Amino acid sequence: MKPIGNLAQNLRWSWNRPTRDFFASLDPQVWEEVGHDPAAFLGSISVQKLDELSANPDIVNRAAELERDLSDYLEKPQWFQSEFNNADKPSAIGYFSAEFGVTAVLPQYSGGLGILAGDHLKSASDLGVPIIGVGLLYQAGYFRQSLTREGWQRESYPVIDPDNMPLTLLRENDGTPALVDVPLPDHRTLYAQVWVAKVGRIALLMMDSDVVKNDEAARLVTDRLYGGSKDHRMEQELLLGVGGVKALRTYTRLTGAPTPEVYHCNEGHAGFMAVERIRELMTGEEHLDFGTAIEAVRSGTLFTTHTPVPAGIDRFDRSLVQRYLAPIEIPGVTTDQLLALGAETYEGGDPNVFNMAVLGLRMARMANGVAQLHGKVSRSMFHQLWPGFDVSEVPITSITNGVHGPTWTDGRLAQLARKHQEPGEHVNTYRWARPPEEGGVSDEELWNLRRELREQLVLDARRRVRESWLERGASPAELDWTNRILDPDVLTIGFARRVPTYKRLTLMINNPERLASILTNKERPVQIIVAGKSHPDDEQGVSLIQRLVAFADQYDVRDRIAFLPNYDMDMAQTLMPGVDVWLNNPLRPLEASGTSGMKCAINGALNLSILDGWWDEMYDGRNGWAIPTADGVDDPERRDAIEAEGLYNLIENTVAPRFYDRDENGIPRNWMEMIRHTLATLGPRVQAQRMVSEYVENLYTPVAASSRVLNGTGHQAARDLAAYKARVRSGWNQVAVKHVDAKVGDVATVGDSASFFADVQLGHLHPEDVEVQLLLGRVTSNDDLSGFEVLAMQAEHAENGVVSYRLETRLNNAGPLGYQVRVVPTHPLMAGYTELGLVTNAERAADNPETHFYFGN
Ligand SMILES: *Cc1c(COP(=O)(O)O)cnc(C)c1O
């Protein structure tokens, strides 16, 4: 039946409740058996049953109705088309990512990065943002986790069958599969075919190296996510970056989709896209030179960093990258020139390393981190790339992550919400969470629903624990107890994430006796559900899981704590709505953002978290709890012990008493107040729609604007900018601030003007090449300036190659003030004055002792 097939083919079913309900209604049992996978579902029901369905007019009508709704969704103008009126908005955006978590059925993710990418595509689809996703199709995705008898993680790699997935092979007009090719060392070539997944309106291109034309080794390049050797990883990243650009070109050529003006490099893995785009421009009709090609490529690129830890950054041996870049032939460019793009040529850098984040930052017009705190951490982590500037000026901004509401809101909650909203009102605004006297949901309704969600989780957890024990070698006869573990009326805490050390899976068992007593408290019992995969090569992570499982296995606590193997999106969709409290205890500030707590918040679960990532900016004292951090305690064991103690105290003295504080109707009114506040205030803020619209407004659109200018006719602007940069770079060593002076002595009142003077030597450069800046701010105890303003000084006259500058400005602050004079490059085509990373500061201490002054009282 064609409409049903069409519904299965577009992954919008993964977040469109009516479509899912429709499939479930066709055969509930098979729907469960195939793990809620429409394609597998259609493959599993018998021909006879299918005929039966096609003969049923109700079903035929319902399918046609859903199909109309889908085509409506795909074609109707959305926010991007109708509300976002900006002449510079991009024609299209290529979004490159090593992982995409769209649904558990397409297991192409390991954790947060991938799920974020999936949510980004889905929200872009909802908003009508013209993104094309570019990624790889891994034959075995990440891995499936089970446990050994002793609680050690065991990995298996079930292979997917793309032919039975909602994917279409991209074909040439003659019907043959379209292939992209990437040159490899030793005269080999890596080929890949391109699968297209439809994520609502968005096409996601996934490259697959399992093709006959490849040699045996090349076929295995896309075998799994983050597996294998450095060579293997390198080949994957070449395919993603270089092959990804080729796949995009093939796709736009064959479908007529618009060519992207913006290239979004989601984390460093896709950084080699810049190399391919440089090659295109240099070997194309215009034969751009290397410098011009760099400017043209850069002008249309956005880089997002996702890690606050240097160890999380993708770094390769320079010699390895050299071997893989050598076969990429670009006339006029040496491999060394390409290698320089990712070289750690700064203080503390390693000359033998090629750094993918450095490549990403150097080749991007704009860059961002994924939460405010992460933006700050990133600016200081990459400060060495902009030496001489203040850390606050490092050009990395931030957009806080969000989650796709329709994917992560439990169906029953969405239903309840719809009941209490005005017609036409969006569920995502959370106005339905207002008090009942204003037409919102009542405490009773909401609390009953929260119990249902908890119960649904408890049942799911029991099933998973039982299955896990069967795999661990127990016999069904000894597993009766698993039907009685956990309790749908007990305060339920959830904790699930990948298991790198900094996330501290085992902080909760820092003092096992204390935790056991909290779990088994007679009046106010607590239960904890834990899940998480460790990268197989991370021995420490693997042993943390084993320690936790060993604790959970103990007879006296096993009713109250459960470890569920194989954390994935499917589990998350039951876990996060079902918990009362979501626990997150990373070592601050090592969590870039985190999104799992957001998925909880939109379902009315409360966060109990270290002030890190998104929680650092969104915790407000009423929407959950902040676990006190022992920042500054250097001994890690002592720090863990302090923070674990803080956690136990919070659970025991604050969280549990509030949860169990019931009125005569059995409702915890104070708890409900927090749920309501969470839904109403966090609900709208943690949406991926908010995130994607910020990307569009603050990053994609300005990047598109600069791309349009620099890639305009004949690439003249890119040539001009490249020539300017070359000239400034070569002349910069002659720039010097010769003398500075200030007249502030007779100024007495706030608001009075003061005068500043500077003599600057420019060498071969012209006054219009540079800006001479006055930094005016407070003097800190270590003689730095803080909270400074940056003011442009005016050139007055030139004599013997020295230009005199002057500035009059009001002094708006009193106290110990100071100033600094510096010279920076300036050009209307640059994103800002930090772009070249060049700055010449006046030498303060020796030549200009008078740069500090006291003003007012
Ligand atoms: C949301 C999610 C993550 C990411 O959560 P963090 O808060 O970043 O740890 C990882 N895995 C799954 C399955 C998820 O659903």
Side-chain angles (χ1 to χ4, degrees), residues 109 111-112 115 408 496-497 503 567-569 572 576 594-596 599:
Y109 60 92
I115 291 168
W408 297 107
R497 39 193 50 86
K503 297 218 186 208
Y567 179 39
D568 68 358
M569 288 180 75
M576 286 155 198
T595 51
S596 50
K599 299 170 194 165

Side-chain angles (χ1 to χ4, degrees), residues 220-351:
L220 295 177
V221 166
T222 54
D223 60 350
R224 18 176 114 150
L225 184 51
Y226 306 143
S229 61
K230 278 283 185 184
D231 277 66
H232 184 254
R233 182 82 173 249
M234 180 73 205
E235 288 165 3
Q236 288 189 336
E237 296 194 7
L238 267 181
L239 181 58
L240 178 61
V242 175
V245 173
K246 294 186 176 187
L248 253 182
R249 302 292 179 245
T250 309
Y251 178 76
T252 53
R253 170 170 61 80
L254 290 170
T255 61
T259 297
E261 289 179 304
V262 175
Y263 293 77
H264 185 171
C265 189
N266 188 44
E267 196 44 279
H269 312 119
F272 292 123
M273 68 154 104
V275 173
E276 173 57 16
R277 287 163 61 217
I278 289 172
R279 194 196 63 80
E280 287 181 332
L281 289 170
M282 294 185 68
T283 57
E285 283 169 19
E286 294 185 40
H287 286 291
L288 299 189
D289 63 89
F290 189 45
T292 304
I294 287 179
E295 295 312 324
V297 166
R298 234 181 147 263
S299 68
T301 308
L302 167 66
F303 177 69
T304 301
T305 167
H306 287 266
T307 174
V309 263
I313 287 174
D314 221 9
R315 296 162 87 232
F316 291 106
D317 284 346
R318 187 180 189 277
S319 56
L320 178 78
V321 182
Q322 182 168 35
R323 202 154 63 76
Y324 278 95
L325 289 185
I328 297 184
E329 284 183 20
I330 312 179
V333 181
T334 63
T335 306
D336 279 351
Q337 282 176 295
L338 293 178
L339 286 166
L341 299 175
E344 296 187 344
T345 41
Y346 45 74
E347 209 179 301
D350 182 340

Side-chain angles (χ1 to χ4, degrees), residues 108-140:
Q108 303 292 318
Y109 60 92
S110 77
L113 179 70
I115 291 168
L116 180 82
D119 282 4
H120 196 99
L121 297 192
K122 292 173 187 174
S123 294
S125 172
D126 292 345
L127 293 168
V129 180
I131 286 184
I132 302 172
V134 181
L136 302 179
L137 186 79
Y138 304 96
Q139 287 137 38

Side-chain angles (χ1 to χ4, degrees), residues 627-648:
I627 304 169
T629 40
D631 281 6
V633 173
D634 288 334
D635 174 2
E637 278 179 31
R638 221 172 77 77
R639 179 165 174 177
D640 282 359
I642 295 173
E643 295 185 7
E645 181 71 19
L647 171 64
Y648 298 138

